[in-house]
Amino acid sequence: MFTIKDDNLYHDGVLFGPTYNLYVDSNELKGIPCGVHSWLIRRPMPSRIDMVFVAGDKVVGIESKKANDLRSSISQGRLSRQMRTLIDEVDVPCLSLIHISEPTR
């Protein structure tokens, strides 16, 4: 489980990093280049959580879905498992729906 102590984020008692960062799984938000934002840290995430950040004294975990992935996640039972994992790991579990539109010409 994620916890906060002395302005640091921990996972199961092991230091994860400072609380001011957004921690993103290596497979998420690929459109944002690495190293551009000092507060965005890409790393393998425990329990395959997509993103984690601290808001006040709470750890927020995010499961992000595109429309087609949402449909298959629901029908195959993955979404309920992913949300149960978030509930067990963070204080505030969130589901983020991502809409990606094609650029207009």
Side-chain angles (χ1 to χ4, degrees):
M1 177 172 199
F2 284 96
T3 55
I4 303 166
K5 182 180 177 192
D6 300 328
D7 294 326
N8 285 304
L9 182 63
Y10 291 82
H11 184 263
D12 290 340
V14 177
L15 179 63
F16 209 73
T19 56
Y20 55 78
N21 289 328
L22 169 63
Y23 297 94
V24 179
D25 185 75
S26 305
N27 297 317
E28 300 296 324
L29 299 180
K30 291 181 180 180
I32 299 175
C34 291
V36 173
H37 305 288
S38 60
W39 48 265
L40 186 126
I41 307 297
R42 289 187 186 285
R43 61 174 296 170
M45 296 289 282
S47 304
R48 299 188 63 190
I49 294 172
D50 291 344
M51 293 171 241
V52 173
F53 65 94
V54 174
D57 62 347
K58 303 291 184 192
V59 180
V60 180
I62 300 173
E63 178 64 34
S64 59
K65 296 288 180 194
K66 295 177 188 166
N68 60 342
D69 186 33
L70 178 63
R71 279 187 229 106
S72 68
S73 292
I74 291 170
S75 66
Q76 296 174 7
R78 288 191 323 267
L79 183 61
S80 60
R81 177 185 48 77
Q82 291 164 328
M83 294 307 294
R84 278 192 308 272
T85 297
L86 274 180
I87 290 167
D88 291 343
E89 293 282 344
V90 301
D91 301 313
V92 182
C94 296
L95 175 62
S96 173
L97 302 176
I98 300 169
H99 174 73
I100 299 176
S101 60
E102 294 296 319
T104 56
R105 296 179 189 207

Short mmCIF file of all heavy atoms in Angstrom, two decimals, residues 17-85:
data_model
loop_
_atom_site.label_atom_id
_atom_site.label_comp_id
_atom_site.label_asym_id
_atom_site.label_seq_id
_atom_site.Cartn_x
_atom_site.Cartn_y
_atom_site.Cartn_z
N GLY A 17 9.52 7.98 -3.72
CA GLY A 17 10.04 9.27 -4.16
C GLY A 17 9.34 10.41 -3.45
O GLY A 17 8.44 10.20 -2.63
N PRO A 18 9.72 11.66 -3.78
CA PRO A 18 9.10 12.83 -3.16
C PRO A 18 7.61 12.93 -3.50
O PRO A 18 7.17 12.51 -4.57
CB PRO A 18 9.87 14.01 -3.77
CG PRO A 18 11.12 13.43 -4.34
CD PRO A 18 10.81 12.02 -4.70
N THR A 19 6.86 13.53 -2.59
CA THR A 19 5.41 13.63 -2.77
C THR A 19 4.99 14.62 -3.85
O THR A 19 3.84 14.61 -4.26
CB THR A 19 4.72 14.04 -1.45
OG1 THR A 19 5.30 15.27 -0.99
CG2 THR A 19 4.87 12.97 -0.40
N TYR A 20 5.88 15.47 -4.33
CA TYR A 20 5.49 16.48 -5.33
C TYR A 20 5.50 15.95 -6.77
O TYR A 20 5.16 16.67 -7.70
CB TYR A 20 6.36 17.74 -5.23
CG TYR A 20 7.85 17.48 -5.33
CD1 TYR A 20 8.47 17.24 -6.55
CD2 TYR A 20 8.63 17.48 -4.18
CE1 TYR A 20 9.82 17.01 -6.63
CE2 TYR A 20 9.99 17.26 -4.25
CZ TYR A 20 10.57 17.02 -5.48
OH TYR A 20 11.93 16.78 -5.56
N ASN A 21 5.88 14.70 -6.98
CA ASN A 21 5.94 14.14 -8.33
C ASN A 21 4.64 13.44 -8.73
O ASN A 21 3.88 13.00 -7.88
CB ASN A 21 7.07 13.11 -8.43
CG ASN A 21 8.43 13.74 -8.38
OD1 ASN A 21 8.62 14.86 -8.84
ND2 ASN A 21 9.39 13.03 -7.81
N LEU A 22 4.44 13.35 -10.03
CA LEU A 22 3.42 12.48 -10.60
C LEU A 22 4.17 11.25 -11.10
O LEU A 22 5.07 11.35 -11.94
CB LEU A 22 2.70 13.16 -11.77
CG LEU A 22 1.80 12.26 -12.63
CD1 LEU A 22 0.64 11.70 -11.81
CD2 LEU A 22 1.27 13.03 -13.84
N TYR A 23 3.82 10.09 -10.57
CA TYR A 23 4.46 8.84 -10.95
C TYR A 23 3.58 8.13 -11.96
O TYR A 23 2.40 7.88 -11.69
CB TYR A 23 4.71 7.97 -9.72
CG TYR A 23 5.66 8.64 -8.75
CD1 TYR A 23 5.18 9.40 -7.70
CD2 TYR A 23 7.03 8.56 -8.94
CE1 TYR A 23 6.04 10.04 -6.83
CE2 TYR A 23 7.91 9.20 -8.08
CZ TYR A 23 7.41 9.94 -7.04
OH TYR A 23 8.28 10.58 -6.19
N VAL A 24 4.14 7.85 -13.12
CA VAL A 24 3.39 7.28 -14.23
C VAL A 24 4.04 5.97 -14.65
O VAL A 24 5.27 5.89 -14.79
CB VAL A 24 3.38 8.26 -15.43
CG1 VAL A 24 2.62 7.69 -16.60
CG2 VAL A 24 2.79 9.60 -15.01
N ASP A 25 3.21 4.95 -14.84
CA ASP A 25 3.73 3.68 -15.32
C ASP A 25 4.43 3.88 -16.66
O ASP A 25 4.02 4.72 -17.47
CB ASP A 25 2.60 2.66 -15.47
CG ASP A 25 3.14 1.30 -15.84
OD1 ASP A 25 3.70 0.63 -14.95
OD2 ASP A 25 3.02 0.91 -17.01
N SER A 26 5.46 3.12 -16.90
CA SER A 26 6.27 3.25 -18.11
C SER A 26 5.46 3.13 -19.40
O SER A 26 5.85 3.65 -20.44
CB SER A 26 7.36 2.18 -18.12
OG SER A 26 8.12 2.25 -16.94
N ASN A 27 4.31 2.46 -19.35
CA ASN A 27 3.49 2.26 -20.54
C ASN A 27 2.40 3.31 -20.74
O ASN A 27 1.63 3.22 -21.69
CB ASN A 27 2.83 0.88 -20.48
CG ASN A 27 3.85 -0.22 -20.49
OD1 ASN A 27 4.81 -0.17 -21.25
ND2 ASN A 27 3.68 -1.20 -19.63
N GLU A 28 2.32 4.30 -19.86
CA GLU A 28 1.25 5.30 -19.93
C GLU A 28 1.79 6.67 -20.37
O GLU A 28 2.96 6.96 -20.22
CB GLU A 28 0.58 5.45 -18.56
CG GLU A 28 -0.05 4.18 -18.04
CD GLU A 28 -1.20 3.68 -18.90
OE1 GLU A 28 -1.96 4.50 -19.44
OE2 GLU A 28 -1.34 2.45 -19.03
N LEU A 29 0.90 7.49 -20.90
CA LEU A 29 1.21 8.87 -21.32
C LEU A 29 2.46 8.93 -22.21
O LEU A 29 3.32 9.78 -22.04
CB LEU A 29 1.40 9.79 -20.11
CG LEU A 29 0.21 9.97 -19.18
CD1 LEU A 29 0.58 10.91 -18.04
CD2 LEU A 29 -1.01 10.49 -19.92
N LYS A 30 2.51 8.05 -23.17
CA LYS A 30 3.68 7.98 -24.04
C LYS A 30 3.86 9.21 -24.91
O LYS A 30 4.94 9.47 -25.40
CB LYS A 30 3.60 6.73 -24.91
CG LYS A 30 3.77 5.46 -24.10
CD LYS A 30 3.72 4.24 -24.98
CE LYS A 30 3.90 3.00 -24.14
NZ LYS A 30 3.86 1.78 -24.94
N GLY A 31 2.80 10.01 -25.07
CA GLY A 31 2.90 11.22 -25.87
C GLY A 31 3.67 12.35 -25.20
O GLY A 31 4.02 13.33 -25.83
N ILE A 32 3.94 12.20 -23.92
CA ILE A 32 4.71 13.22 -23.20
C ILE A 32 6.15 12.74 -23.13
O ILE A 32 6.44 11.70 -22.53
CB ILE A 32 4.15 13.44 -21.77
CG1 ILE A 32 2.70 13.92 -21.85
CG2 ILE A 32 5.01 14.44 -21.02
CD1 ILE A 32 2.03 14.04 -20.50
N PRO A 33 7.08 13.47 -23.74
CA PRO A 33 8.48 13.04 -23.77
C PRO A 33 9.10 12.99 -22.37
O PRO A 33 8.77 13.80 -21.51
CB PRO A 33 9.19 14.10 -24.61
CG PRO A 33 8.12 14.91 -25.24
CD PRO A 33 6.87 14.71 -24.47
N CYS A 34 9.96 12.04 -22.16
CA CYS A 34 10.68 11.93 -20.89
C CYS A 34 11.62 13.11 -20.72
O CYS A 34 12.18 13.61 -21.69
CB CYS A 34 11.49 10.63 -20.85
SG CYS A 34 10.49 9.16 -20.76
N GLY A 35 11.78 13.56 -19.49
CA GLY A 35 12.74 14.61 -19.19
C GLY A 35 12.25 16.02 -19.42
O GLY A 35 12.90 16.97 -19.04
N VAL A 36 11.07 16.20 -20.04
CA VAL A 36 10.56 17.55 -20.30
C VAL A 36 10.03 18.18 -19.02
O VAL A 36 10.24 19.35 -18.76
CB VAL A 36 9.45 17.50 -21.38
CG1 VAL A 36 8.79 18.85 -21.54
CG2 VAL A 36 10.04 17.04 -22.70
N HIS A 37 9.35 17.40 -18.20
CA HIS A 37 8.78 17.89 -16.96
C HIS A 37 9.48 17.21 -15.79
O HIS A 37 9.42 15.99 -15.66
CB HIS A 37 7.28 17.59 -16.90
CG HIS A 37 6.52 18.13 -18.06
ND1 HIS A 37 6.29 19.48 -18.23
CD2 HIS A 37 5.95 17.52 -19.13
CE1 HIS A 37 5.60 19.67 -19.34
NE2 HIS A 37 5.39 18.51 -19.91
N SER A 38 10.13 17.98 -14.94
CA SER A 38 10.91 17.40 -13.84
C SER A 38 10.02 16.70 -12.82
O SER A 38 10.48 15.83 -12.08
CB SER A 38 11.74 18.47 -13.16
OG SER A 38 10.90 19.48 -12.62
N TRP A 39 8.76 17.03 -12.75
CA TRP A 39 7.84 16.45 -11.78
C TRP A 39 7.17 15.17 -12.27
O TRP A 39 6.51 14.48 -11.51
CB TRP A 39 6.76 17.47 -11.40
CG TRP A 39 6.14 18.12 -12.60
CD1 TRP A 39 6.52 19.33 -13.14
CD2 TRP A 39 5.10 17.62 -13.42
NE1 TRP A 39 5.75 19.59 -14.25
CE2 TRP A 39 4.87 18.56 -14.45
CE3 TRP A 39 4.33 16.47 -13.40
CZ2 TRP A 39 3.91 18.38 -15.44
CZ3 TRP A 39 3.37 16.29 -14.39
CH2 TRP A 39 3.17 17.24 -15.39
N LEU A 40 7.34 14.82 -13.55
CA LEU A 40 6.75 13.60 -14.11
C LEU A 40 7.80 12.51 -14.12
O LEU A 40 8.82 12.63 -14.78
CB LEU A 40 6.22 13.85 -15.52
CG LEU A 40 5.48 12.65 -16.10
CD1 LEU A 40 4.09 13.08 -16.56
CD2 LEU A 40 6.23 12.06 -17.24
N ILE A 41 7.55 11.45 -13.36
CA ILE A 41 8.51 10.36 -13.23
C ILE A 41 7.89 9.10 -13.83
O ILE A 41 6.84 8.65 -13.38
CB ILE A 41 8.87 10.10 -11.75
CG1 ILE A 41 9.33 11.37 -11.05
CG2 ILE A 41 9.87 8.96 -11.63
CD1 ILE A 41 10.60 11.97 -11.61
N ARG A 42 8.55 8.55 -14.84
CA ARG A 42 8.13 7.28 -15.44
C ARG A 42 8.88 6.15 -14.75
O ARG A 42 10.10 6.23 -14.60
CB ARG A 42 8.46 7.24 -16.92
CG ARG A 42 7.65 8.12 -17.76
CD ARG A 42 7.97 7.86 -19.24
NE ARG A 42 7.29 8.81 -20.04
CZ ARG A 42 5.99 8.79 -20.31
NH1 ARG A 42 5.25 7.84 -19.81
NH2 ARG A 42 5.42 9.71 -21.05
N ARG A 43 8.13 5.14 -14.36
CA ARG A 43 8.77 4.00 -13.72
C ARG A 43 7.80 2.83 -13.72
O ARG A 43 6.60 3.04 -13.84
CB ARG A 43 9.21 4.34 -12.31
CG ARG A 43 8.08 4.76 -11.38
CD ARG A 43 8.52 4.97 -9.99
NE ARG A 43 8.98 3.72 -9.43
CZ ARG A 43 9.60 3.61 -8.27
NH1 ARG A 43 9.83 4.66 -7.55
NH2 ARG A 43 9.99 2.44 -7.82
N PRO A 44 8.31 1.63 -13.60
CA PRO A 44 7.40 0.49 -13.44
C PRO A 44 6.61 0.69 -12.15
O PRO A 44 7.17 1.02 -11.11
CB PRO A 44 8.33 -0.72 -13.33
CG PRO A 44 9.64 -0.26 -13.89
CD PRO A 44 9.72 1.22 -13.63
N MET A 45 5.32 0.52 -12.24
CA MET A 45 4.46 0.77 -11.09
C MET A 45 4.04 -0.54 -10.44
O MET A 45 3.77 -1.53 -11.13
CB MET A 45 3.20 1.53 -11.51
CG MET A 45 3.49 2.91 -12.05
SD MET A 45 4.01 4.05 -10.77
CE MET A 45 2.44 4.41 -10.04
N PRO A 46 3.98 -0.56 -9.11
CA PRO A 46 3.52 -1.77 -8.42
C PRO A 46 2.05 -2.02 -8.75
O PRO A 46 1.27 -1.08 -8.97
CB PRO A 46 3.69 -1.43 -6.94
CG PRO A 46 3.79 0.04 -6.88
CD PRO A 46 4.32 0.51 -8.20
N SER A 47 1.69 -3.27 -8.82
CA SER A 47 0.31 -3.69 -9.07
C SER A 47 -0.26 -3.14 -10.37
O SER A 47 -1.47 -3.04 -10.53
CB SER A 47 -0.59 -3.29 -7.90
OG SER A 47 -0.11 -3.80 -6.70
N ARG A 48 0.61 -2.73 -11.28
CA ARG A 48 0.22 -2.23 -12.60
C ARG A 48 -0.73 -1.03 -12.54
O ARG A 48 -1.60 -0.84 -13.38
CB ARG A 48 -0.38 -3.35 -13.44
CG ARG A 48 0.63 -4.47 -13.66
CD ARG A 48 0.17 -5.48 -14.60
NE ARG A 48 -0.03 -4.87 -15.91
CZ ARG A 48 -0.63 -5.48 -16.91
NH1 ARG A 48 -1.09 -6.68 -16.76
NH2 ARG A 48 -0.77 -4.88 -18.07
N ILE A 49 -0.57 -0.20 -11.51
CA ILE A 49 -1.35 1.04 -11.39
C ILE A 49 -0.81 2.01 -12.43
O ILE A 49 0.39 2.11 -12.64
CB ILE A 49 -1.22 1.59 -9.96
CG1 ILE A 49 -1.90 0.63 -8.98
CG2 ILE A 49 -1.81 2.99 -9.86
CD1 ILE A 49 -1.67 0.97 -7.52
N ASP A 50 -1.70 2.75 -13.09
CA ASP A 50 -1.27 3.64 -14.17
C ASP A 50 -0.55 4.89 -13.67
O ASP A 50 0.49 5.27 -14.22
CB ASP A 50 -2.47 4.05 -15.03
CG ASP A 50 -3.02 2.89 -15.84
OD1 ASP A 50 -2.32 1.87 -15.98
OD2 ASP A 50 -4.15 3.01 -16.33
N MET A 51 -1.11 5.56 -12.66
CA MET A 51 -0.52 6.80 -12.16
C MET A 51 -0.81 6.96 -10.68
O MET A 51 -1.85 6.52 -10.20
CB MET A 51 -1.11 8.01 -12.89
CG MET A 51 -0.76 8.11 -14.34
SD MET A 51 -1.70 9.41 -15.15
CE MET A 51 -2.58 8.44 -16.35
N VAL A 52 0.13 7.63 -9.98
CA VAL A 52 -0.04 7.91 -8.56
C VAL A 52 0.50 9.31 -8.29
O VAL A 52 1.55 9.69 -8.82
CB VAL A 52 0.72 6.89 -7.69
CG1 VAL A 52 0.69 7.28 -6.23
CG2 VAL A 52 0.15 5.50 -7.85
N PHE A 53 -0.22 10.06 -7.45
CA PHE A 53 0.28 11.34 -6.98
C PHE A 53 -0.30 11.61 -5.60
O PHE A 53 -1.21 10.91 -5.14
CB PHE A 53 -0.04 12.49 -7.95
CG PHE A 53 -1.50 12.79 -8.11
CD1 PHE A 53 -2.12 13.76 -7.35
CD2 PHE A 53 -2.27 12.10 -9.06
CE1 PHE A 53 -3.47 14.04 -7.51
CE2 PHE A 53 -3.61 12.39 -9.23
CZ PHE A 53 -4.22 13.36 -8.44
N VAL A 54 0.25 12.62 -4.93
CA VAL A 54 -0.21 12.98 -3.59
C VAL A 54 -0.94 14.30 -3.68
O VAL A 54 -0.47 15.26 -4.30
CB VAL A 54 0.99 13.08 -2.62
CG1 VAL A 54 0.54 13.61 -1.27
CG2 VAL A 54 1.66 11.73 -2.48
N ALA A 55 -2.13 14.35 -3.05
CA ALA A 55 -2.93 15.57 -2.95
C ALA A 55 -3.23 15.79 -1.47
O ALA A 55 -3.96 15.00 -0.86
CB ALA A 55 -4.21 15.45 -3.76
N GLY A 56 -2.62 16.83 -0.90
CA GLY A 56 -2.77 17.06 0.53
C GLY A 56 -2.11 15.93 1.29
O GLY A 56 -0.92 15.68 1.14
N ASP A 57 -2.91 15.21 2.07
CA ASP A 57 -2.37 14.08 2.81
C ASP A 57 -2.92 12.76 2.30
O ASP A 57 -2.92 11.75 3.01
CB ASP A 57 -2.66 14.24 4.31
CG ASP A 57 -4.15 14.28 4.61
OD1 ASP A 57 -4.96 14.41 3.66
OD2 ASP A 57 -4.52 14.16 5.79
N LYS A 58 -3.37 12.73 1.06
CA LYS A 58 -3.95 11.53 0.45
C LYS A 58 -3.15 11.10 -0.77
O LYS A 58 -2.67 11.93 -1.54
CB LYS A 58 -5.40 11.78 0.01
CG LYS A 58 -6.32 12.23 1.11
CD LYS A 58 -6.58 11.14 2.10
CE LYS A 58 -7.58 11.60 3.13
NZ LYS A 58 -7.67 10.73 4.26
N VAL A 59 -3.06 9.79 -0.97
CA VAL A 59 -2.44 9.21 -2.16
C VAL A 59 -3.56 8.91 -3.15
O VAL A 59 -4.50 8.20 -2.83
CB VAL A 59 -1.65 7.93 -1.83
CG1 VAL A 59 -1.02 7.36 -3.10
CG2 VAL A 59 -0.59 8.20 -0.79
N VAL A 60 -3.43 9.48 -4.34
CA VAL A 60 -4.42 9.31 -5.40
C VAL A 60 -3.85 8.36 -6.45
O VAL A 60 -2.73 8.55 -6.91
CB VAL A 60 -4.77 10.66 -6.06
CG1 VAL A 60 -5.81 10.48 -7.17
CG2 VAL A 60 -5.27 11.66 -5.02
N GLY A 61 -4.62 7.34 -6.79
CA GLY A 61 -4.22 6.40 -7.82
C GLY A 61 -5.18 6.48 -8.98
O GLY A 61 -6.39 6.65 -8.79
N ILE A 62 -4.65 6.39 -10.19
CA ILE A 62 -5.48 6.53 -11.39
C ILE A 62 -5.35 5.31 -12.28
O ILE A 62 -4.24 4.86 -12.58
CB ILE A 62 -5.07 7.79 -12.19
CG1 ILE A 62 -5.24 9.04 -11.34
CG2 ILE A 62 -5.86 7.90 -13.48
CD1 ILE A 62 -4.71 10.29 -11.96
N GLU A 63 -6.48 4.82 -12.71
CA GLU A 63 -6.56 3.83 -13.78
C GLU A 63 -7.10 4.58 -14.98
O GLU A 63 -8.18 5.16 -14.92
CB GLU A 63 -7.50 2.68 -13.39
CG GLU A 63 -7.68 1.65 -14.47
CD GLU A 63 -6.40 0.90 -14.81
OE1 GLU A 63 -5.56 0.67 -13.93
OE2 GLU A 63 -6.25 0.54 -16.01
N SER A 64 -6.35 4.64 -16.07
CA SER A 64 -6.78 5.40 -17.24
C SER A 64 -7.24 4.44 -18.34
O SER A 64 -6.64 3.38 -18.53
CB SER A 64 -5.65 6.30 -17.75
OG SER A 64 -4.53 5.54 -18.09
N LYS A 65 -8.30 4.85 -19.03
CA LYS A 65 -8.88 4.02 -20.09
C LYS A 65 -9.25 4.88 -21.29
O LYS A 65 -9.83 5.94 -21.15
CB LYS A 65 -10.17 3.34 -19.60
CG LYS A 65 -9.99 2.37 -18.48
CD LYS A 65 -9.31 1.13 -18.96
CE LYS A 65 -9.13 0.14 -17.84
NZ LYS A 65 -8.21 -0.90 -18.19
N LYS A 66 -8.94 4.35 -22.47
CA LYS A 66 -9.48 4.89 -23.71
C LYS A 66 -10.81 4.16 -23.93
O LYS A 66 -11.07 3.11 -23.34
CB LYS A 66 -8.53 4.63 -24.86
CG LYS A 66 -7.22 5.35 -24.72
CD LYS A 66 -6.30 4.99 -25.86
CE LYS A 66 -4.92 5.56 -25.60
NZ LYS A 66 -3.91 4.99 -26.48
N ALA A 67 -11.66 4.70 -24.80
CA ALA A 67 -13.00 4.15 -24.99
C ALA A 67 -12.98 2.67 -25.36
O ALA A 67 -13.70 1.87 -24.76
CB ALA A 67 -13.75 4.96 -26.05
N ASN A 68 -12.16 2.29 -26.32
CA ASN A 68 -12.15 0.88 -26.74
C ASN A 68 -11.60 -0.03 -25.65
O ASN A 68 -12.05 -1.15 -25.47
CB ASN A 68 -11.38 0.70 -28.05
CG ASN A 68 -9.94 1.15 -27.96
OD1 ASN A 68 -9.56 1.88 -27.05
ND2 ASN A 68 -9.13 0.73 -28.90
N ASP A 69 -10.62 0.46 -24.88
CA ASP A 69 -10.07 -0.32 -23.78
C ASP A 69 -11.08 -0.44 -22.65
O ASP A 69 -11.16 -1.47 -21.98
CB ASP A 69 -8.77 0.32 -23.28
CG ASP A 69 -8.07 -0.51 -22.24
OD1 ASP A 69 -8.15 -1.76 -22.31
OD2 ASP A 69 -7.43 0.08 -21.36
N LEU A 70 -11.87 0.60 -22.43
CA LEU A 70 -12.89 0.56 -21.38
C LEU A 70 -13.90 -0.54 -21.67
O LEU A 70 -14.22 -1.34 -20.79
CB LEU A 70 -13.60 1.92 -21.26
CG LEU A 70 -14.72 1.97 -20.23
CD1 LEU A 70 -14.19 1.72 -18.83
CD2 LEU A 70 -15.43 3.32 -20.32
N ARG A 71 -14.37 -0.61 -22.91
CA ARG A 71 -15.34 -1.64 -23.28
C ARG A 71 -14.78 -3.05 -23.03
O ARG A 71 -15.43 -3.89 -22.40
CB ARG A 71 -15.74 -1.50 -24.75
CG ARG A 71 -16.78 -0.45 -24.96
CD ARG A 71 -17.28 -0.46 -26.41
NE ARG A 71 -17.25 0.92 -26.88
CZ ARG A 71 -16.37 1.44 -27.72
NH1 ARG A 71 -15.46 0.70 -28.28
NH2 ARG A 71 -16.41 2.71 -28.04
N SER A 72 -13.58 -3.30 -23.51
CA SER A 72 -13.02 -4.64 -23.34
C SER A 72 -12.68 -4.92 -21.88
O SER A 72 -12.82 -6.06 -21.42
CB SER A 72 -11.80 -4.84 -24.24
OG SER A 72 -10.73 -4.04 -23.82
N SER A 73 -12.25 -3.92 -21.14
CA SER A 73 -11.94 -4.11 -19.72
C SER A 73 -13.18 -4.50 -18.92
O SER A 73 -13.11 -5.34 -18.02
CB SER A 73 -11.35 -2.83 -19.12
OG SER A 73 -10.08 -2.57 -19.66
N ILE A 74 -14.31 -3.89 -19.26
CA ILE A 74 -15.55 -4.23 -18.57
C ILE A 74 -16.00 -5.63 -18.95
O ILE A 74 -16.30 -6.46 -18.08
CB ILE A 74 -16.66 -3.20 -18.90
CG1 ILE A 74 -16.32 -1.85 -18.26
CG2 ILE A 74 -18.02 -3.70 -18.41
CD1 ILE A 74 -17.22 -0.71 -18.70
N SER A 75 -16.03 -5.92 -20.25
CA SER A 75 -16.54 -7.22 -20.70
C SER A 75 -15.65 -8.39 -20.26
O SER A 75 -16.14 -9.49 -20.03
CB SER A 75 -16.73 -7.24 -22.22
OG SER A 75 -15.48 -7.14 -22.87
N GLN A 76 -14.36 -8.15 -20.11
CA GLN A 76 -13.45 -9.22 -19.71
C GLN A 76 -13.16 -9.25 -18.20
O GLN A 76 -12.37 -10.06 -17.74
CB GLN A 76 -12.14 -9.10 -20.49
CG GLN A 76 -12.33 -9.30 -21.98
CD GLN A 76 -11.07 -9.03 -22.77
OE1 GLN A 76 -10.00 -8.83 -22.22
NE2 GLN A 76 -11.20 -9.03 -24.09
N GLY A 77 -13.80 -8.34 -17.44
CA GLY A 77 -13.66 -8.34 -15.99
C GLY A 77 -12.39 -7.70 -15.46
O GLY A 77 -12.14 -7.75 -14.26
N ARG A 78 -11.59 -7.12 -16.34
CA ARG A 78 -10.34 -6.49 -15.89
C ARG A 78 -10.60 -5.23 -15.07
O ARG A 78 -9.88 -4.96 -14.11
CB ARG A 78 -9.43 -6.15 -17.08
CG ARG A 78 -8.79 -7.32 -17.74
CD ARG A 78 -7.71 -6.92 -18.72
NE ARG A 78 -7.98 -5.73 -19.49
CZ ARG A 78 -8.55 -5.69 -20.70
NH1 ARG A 78 -8.93 -6.82 -21.28
NH2 ARG A 78 -8.73 -4.56 -21.34
N LEU A 79 -11.59 -4.44 -15.46
CA LEU A 79 -11.83 -3.16 -14.79
C LEU A 79 -12.15 -3.35 -13.31
O LEU A 79 -11.61 -2.63 -12.47
CB LEU A 79 -12.94 -2.37 -15.49
CG LEU A 79 -13.19 -0.99 -14.90
CD1 LEU A 79 -11.94 -0.12 -15.01
CD2 LEU A 79 -14.36 -0.31 -15.58
N SER A 80 -12.98 -4.31 -12.98
CA SER A 80 -13.31 -4.52 -11.57
C SER A 80 -12.06 -4.94 -10.79
O SER A 80 -11.84 -4.48 -9.66
CB SER A 80 -14.44 -5.53 -11.41
OG SER A 80 -14.08 -6.77 -11.96
N ARG A 81 -11.21 -5.78 -11.36
CA ARG A 81 -9.97 -6.18 -10.70
C ARG A 81 -9.04 -4.98 -10.52
O ARG A 81 -8.45 -4.78 -9.46
CB ARG A 81 -9.26 -7.28 -11.50
CG ARG A 81 -7.92 -7.70 -10.90
CD ARG A 81 -7.16 -8.70 -11.76
NE ARG A 81 -7.06 -8.35 -13.16
CZ ARG A 81 -6.22 -7.44 -13.68
NH1 ARG A 81 -5.41 -6.77 -12.88
NH2 ARG A 81 -6.18 -7.22 -14.97
N GLN A 82 -8.92 -4.16 -11.58
CA GLN A 82 -8.04 -3.00 -11.52
C GLN A 82 -8.52 -2.00 -10.47
O GLN A 82 -7.72 -1.42 -9.73
CB GLN A 82 -7.95 -2.34 -12.90
CG GLN A 82 -7.20 -3.20 -13.90
CD GLN A 82 -7.41 -2.78 -15.34
OE1 GLN A 82 -8.48 -2.28 -15.71
NE2 GLN A 82 -6.41 -3.00 -16.17
N MET A 83 -9.83 -1.80 -10.38
CA MET A 83 -10.36 -0.86 -9.39
C MET A 83 -10.22 -1.42 -7.97
O MET A 83 -9.93 -0.67 -7.04
CB MET A 83 -11.81 -0.50 -9.71
CG MET A 83 -11.97 0.29 -11.01
SD MET A 83 -10.92 1.77 -11.14
CE MET A 83 -11.61 2.79 -9.86
N ARG A 84 -10.39 -2.71 -7.79
CA ARG A 84 -10.17 -3.32 -6.46
C ARG A 84 -8.72 -3.13 -6.03
O ARG A 84 -8.44 -2.83 -4.86
CB ARG A 84 -10.52 -4.80 -6.47
CG ARG A 84 -11.99 -5.10 -6.31
CD ARG A 84 -12.26 -6.56 -6.03
NE ARG A 84 -11.64 -7.48 -6.99
CZ ARG A 84 -12.19 -7.88 -8.13
NH1 ARG A 84 -13.38 -7.44 -8.47
NH2 ARG A 84 -11.55 -8.71 -8.93
N THR A 85 -7.80 -3.28 -6.98
CA THR A 85 -6.38 -3.06 -6.67
C THR A 85 -6.16 -1.63 -6.22
O THR A 85 -5.47 -1.39 -5.22
CB THR A 85 -5.50 -3.37 -7.91
OG1 THR A 85 -5.65 -4.75 -8.23
CG2 THR A 85 -4.04 -3.06 -7.64
#
